Amino acid sequence: MYRSHNCGELRASHSNTEVTLSGWVQGIRDKGFMIYLDLRDRYGITQLYFDEERTSKDLMEKASKLGREYVIQVKGTVVERASKNPNIPTGDIELLVSELTILNTSLVPPFTIEDKTDGGDDVRMKYRYLDIRRNPVKNSLILRHKVAQAVRNYLSNEDFIEVETPYLIKSTPEGARDFVVPSRMNEGQFYALPQSPQTFKQLLMVGGMDKYFQIVKCFRDEDLRADRQPEFTQIDCEMAFVEQEDILNTFEGLTRHLLKEINGVEVEKFPRILYDDAMRLYGNDKPDIRFGMEFGELNDVTQHKDFGVFNSAELVVGIAVPGGNKFTRKEIDNLIKWVKRPQVGALGMIYSRCNDDGSFKSSVDKFYDQEDLAKWAEITGAKAGDLVCVLSGDKNKVRAQLSALRMELATQLGLRKPNEFAPLWVMDFPLLEWDEDTERYHAMHHPFTSPKPGQLELLDTNPGEVKANAYDLVLNGNEIGGGSIRIHDKATQAIMLKHLGFSEEEARAQFGFLMDAFEYGAPPHGGIAFGLDRLVAILGGQETIRDFIAFPKNNSGRDVMIDAPASIDNEQLKELSLKLNLKQ
């Protein structure tokens, strides 16, 4: 056998035991008469040593020629260390080596295999198999495994059945572009990779499976942001004979279970907030409620003076920054520069200092007196020692801008603590949203989301006011799950597709299989899908998902390690009846 123990296992209780270890050479300290070596595997590090008084000359010479990341096997005796290392679990012992076998050599790695490495993102992505040896990535992948196992255990105990659904499906309009796969056996036709298993899980409900889940890969061919992947993983779930409350209770339970199992945290409250209120109070539909700084709308107390910037604005809105009066003028100027960046897009920022003596000092003292500024403080909830930051402009834009500023300030002030967890449900989203480019309504979630009870008739008279029977689960300012009660009858689904611009023929071509299924006794049903990548990152106290994915793509959607995507040869193109028409 290659090993009797792993490199994180040995303790003082193993002293005087003969053991065999295998792993990678983490580092070597050659003192001439004595050689120390750190041997690493997935489980930890064990210090080896070679002593010229007790080690043969040949073995000393062999050890001195080892390099970083060599794969070796050693046999020896566990002894208590004279100088213990309290920073590692095996720090009380070391291994006096009697035999050494080199299992494989290694080139010098392009970056150090340490927790804090000298490798940049690009080089670590290219050599991802080396990056995985580092504790931060290794532990992130282990955490992902633990979360997936905890999800499976919880849902299985709740009588959910794990069912796999196809990856080669039909292209359907769900918001983003599909990845398509040409069919060799069906000339000129294409499969699509699923953006989600949405229609299949609904068909499973028609099939009587009652409670379904799947940890499943999904695919969207869309422009990438820094923290978005073209392939991502969902915890996909569906339930039959349920109302909204049943789903919320079930998946509050799952979230509590994960926070307890993974983080040792007990969370009882899952507040609920309407979508309209989330936008009004936080400027986005996934608010971070670990801290305050709720928006205060100031139109009534700002648009009565000769300050044209506010008078011409659709919305004047502010937040109270706790302790913000201590900011220097330079720090406030930097905030103004921050909101004027193209990524945020504000034209500027007005501020008012709330002094300890109850007075106020603002950047617009020329226009507003102490009584006015006191009303600003009252509406935003500002107290002595705080700073009121105010933005103005188009309602939707300014809310997004102030939301970005709120999050930036919370980061600067240390209010976004990764070991605190604040979940909430956002409810009653708009069913439809208007698209200026196509000049028609699109489904905010997907075409199978049902309207709130009693609002179906509004589709004909005021479609923009119809609310969806939909809900998102938000954790620490990130949407970790979203779902809805589905449409389960053919007539309602046909009305919905009509309002989304589908003709009867187009609806039949795209979704005929689902419409037909609804005529065979489809039960009321609904569900939710969690983003596993995002969920694991938050449970791991991180903001980005990349280290929680074994082999991620870069921001251009490329796998730089295997150099994909790549061209295919002419013979394959011919077999697939494809001809390239590349732009010159």
Side-chain angles (χ1 to χ4, degrees):
M1 59 183 176
Y2 282 106
R3 57 187 178 186
S4 60
H5 298 76
N6 64 56
C7 293
E9 186 176 353
L10 299 174
R11 301 291 187 270
S13 60
H14 294 95
S15 294
N16 301 317
T17 304
E18 296 290 321
V19 302
T20 303
L21 301 179
S22 293
W24 287 265
V25 175
Q26 174 78 19
I28 304 173
R29 300 174 296 283
D30 190 341
K31 301 182 180 297
F33 62 93
M34 188 176 289
I35 298 173
Y36 289 97
L37 184 152
D38 291 332
L39 188 68
R40 182 194 72 244
D41 65 8
R42 182 189 119 190
Y43 306 94
I45 289 177
T46 297
Q47 179 171 286
L48 316 180
Y49 85 100
F50 304 78
D51 181 350
E52 67 178 10
E53 292 186 2
R54 289 175 284 181
T55 304
S56 69
K57 183 177 179 180
D58 288 346
L59 186 53
M60 289 289 290
E61 184 176 351
K62 192 174 185 180
S64 69
K65 293 180 179 178
L66 294 173
R68 284 167 45 204
E69 301 306 311
Y70 274 40
V71 186
I72 64 172
Q73 179 191 53
V74 293
K75 297 181 180 180
T77 304
V78 180
V79 296
E80 190 171 352
R81 285 173 65 162
S83 179
K84 294 180 171 56
N85 181 356
N87 297 319
I88 58 174
T90 60
D92 288 347
I93 59 91
E94 56 193 359
L95 188 70
L96 176 60
V97 177
S98 57
E99 294 182 35
L100 166 64
T101 302
I102 298 175
L103 301 176
N104 215 333
T105 60
S106 173
L107 298 173
V108 176
F111 54 88
T112 55
I113 313 296
E114 301 280 359
D115 289 4
K116 294 185 183 296
T117 183
D118 55 358
D121 285 348
D122 291 342
V123 70
R124 289 190 293 111
M125 291 275 281
K126 182 175 177 61
Y127 297 94
R128 184 64 167 180
Y129 45 85
L130 297 179
D131 202 26
I132 290 173
R133 295 180 189 174
R134 297 174 51 244
N135 283 326
V137 182
K138 176 197 74 176
N139 292 336
S140 294
L141 296 180
I142 292 172
L143 177 66
R144 184 186 180 104
H145 160 75
K146 290 179 179 177
V147 172
Q149 290 299 102
V151 168
R152 284 192 165 96
N153 291 339
Y154 176 87
L155 292 176
S156 296
N157 288 335
E158 292 291 319
D159 290 332
F160 283 78
I161 303 299
E162 186 168 9
V163 183
E164 294 181 4
T165 53
Y167 280 163
L168 296 176
I169 67 167
K170 180 180 184 179
S171 181
T172 58
E174 291 191 40
R177 286 181 296 271
D178 290 321
F179 283 101
V180 294
V181 181
S183 171
R184 179 184 58 82
M185 294 181 289
N186 300 275
E187 188 174 308
Q189 295 185 315
F190 296 81
Y191 299 106
L193 300 180
Q195 296 182 34
S196 78
Q198 181 61 47
T199 53
F200 287 101
K201 66 182 181 181
Q202 291 191 250
L203 291 172
L204 286 169
M205 296 303 100
V206 178
M209 290 307 294
D210 191 68
K211 290 183 176 181
Y212 141 92
F213 85 98
Q214 182 181 190
I215 297 179
V216 59
K217 272 280 185 280
C218 302
F219 308 86
R220 289 180 185 168
D221 183 9
E222 56 190 346
D223 295 335
L224 300 181
R225 297 196 296 260
D227 207 31
R228 177 183 284 172
Q229 291 283 306
E231 51 182 319
F232 56 97
T233 305
Q234 285 185 351
I235 307 166
D236 199 51
C237 308
E238 198 80 2
M239 303 168 70
F241 301 110
V242 291
E243 296 177 333
Q244 179 176 280
E245 197 66 27
D246 301 305
I247 294 173
L248 301 190
N249 289 336
T250 298
F251 292 98
E252 280 185 21
L254 173 60
T255 308
R256 284 195 184 93
H257 176 73
L258 293 176
L259 288 168
K260 177 70 173 175
E261 285 289 305
I262 304 301
N263 298 87
V265 173
E266 302 229 13
V267 176
E268 290 301 322
K269 293 183 178 180
F270 281 67
R272 300 180 185 183
I273 186 172
L274 299 178
Y275 169 87
D276 290 343
D277 290 337
M279 298 302 293
R280 178 176 56 84
L281 293 173
Y282 301 100
N284 68 69
D285 59 3
K286 46 183 184 296
D288 190 336
I289 59 169
R290 286 174 292 179
F291 55 95
M293 289 196 276
E294 292 183 357
F295 291 9
E297 297 188 354
L298 303 172
N299 290 49
D300 291 344
V301 296
T302 58
Q303 294 182 331
H304 63 293
K305 296 292 180 73
D306 294 329
F307 189 52
V309 172
F310 285 171
N311 291 340
S312 62
E314 183 182 7
L315 178 65
V316 183
V317 61
I319 54 173
V321 183
N325 195 25
K326 68 178 183 292
F327 288 176
T328 65
R329 177 59 188 270
K330 183 178 179 180
E331 287 174 321
I332 293 177
D333 287 344
N334 286 336
L335 286 178
I336 295 172
K337 290 177 183 176
W338 192 88
V339 299
K340 292 169 78 171
R341 298 180 314 146
Q343 299 95 317
V344 180
L347 296 177
M349 183 186 84
I350 303 300
Y351 66 90
S352 174
R353 293 181 180 275
C354 303
N355 297 320
D356 291 339
D357 63 3
S359 66
F360 303 93
K361 179 64 178 174
S362 84
S363 55
V364 286
D365 281 344
K366 178 180 177 181
F367 300 96
Y368 298 96
D369 58 26
Q370 292 292 300
E371 184 179 347
D372 292 323
L373 299 176
K375 292 177 181 177
W376 295 16
E378 180 184 356
I379 291 171
T380 59
K383 299 177 177 61
D386 292 350
L387 179 75
V388 177
C389 296
V390 182
L391 300 182
S392 62
D394 174 81
K395 180 175 67 175
N396 293 332
K397 288 181 180 179
V398 78
R399 282 176 173 168
Q401 292 160 358
L402 191 60
S403 174
L405 177 61
R406 176 179 179 269
M407 296 297 279
E408 173 64 17
L409 285 164
T411 300
Q412 291 186 17
L413 295 171
L415 302 177
R416 302 180 66 197
K417 298 175 182 177
N419 59 346
E420 291 183 5
F421 298 93
L424 80 156
W425 291 102
V426 180
M427 320 284 292
D428 292 7
F429 286 79
L431 183 68
L432 307 172
E433 56 185 345
W434 182 257
D435 186 276
E436 294 290 348
D437 295 332
T438 59
E439 295 187 339
R440 66 182 180 90
Y441 282 103
H442 291 262
M444 179 170 270
H445 286 79
H446 53 64
F448 318 110
T449 299
S450 68
K452 293 286 285 186
Q455 295 198 4
L456 183 62
E457 293 75 16
L458 271 177
L459 281 173
D460 288 322
T461 58
N462 198 352
E465 292 299 313
V466 180
K467 300 299 184 184
N469 205 344
Y471 34 82
D472 279 359
L473 182 56
V474 176
L475 182 62
N476 295 1
N478 293 274
E479 178 199 333
I480 61 168
S484 65
I485 299 298
R486 322 302 187 190
I487 297 169
H488 68 278
D489 66 279
K490 181 178 180 179
T492 304
Q493 188 63 72
I495 292 170
M496 181 67 174
L497 292 174
K498 174 186 173 184
H499 283 279
L500 291 173
F502 288 89
S503 67
E504 287 187 24
E505 294 75 17
E506 289 169 334
R508 165 58 55 182
Q510 290 282 359
F511 304 111
F513 63 94
L514 186 64
M515 309 278 275
D516 289 344
F518 285 170
E519 296 197 277
Y520 289 91
H525 59 280
I528 193 169
F530 285 73
L532 179 64
D533 312 300
R534 173 72 55 210
L535 175 61
V536 176
I538 296 170
L539 296 177
Q542 300 296 320
E543 290 286 324
T544 58
I545 65 175
R546 185 176 288 174
D547 279 352
F548 297 87
I549 299 171
F551 299 102
K553 307 289 190 294
N554 68 10
N555 292 348
S556 299
R558 293 197 66 82
D559 186 327
V560 295
M561 183 183 66
I562 64 172
D563 195 23
S567 302
I568 60 175
D569 61 36
N570 289 329
E571 192 60 34
Q572 283 181 288
L573 290 171
K574 186 177 179 181
E575 283 184 343
L576 296 168
S577 303
L578 294 177
K579 184 177 181 180
L580 299 182
N581 183 22
L582 301 177
K583 296 179 181 178
Q584 299 299 320

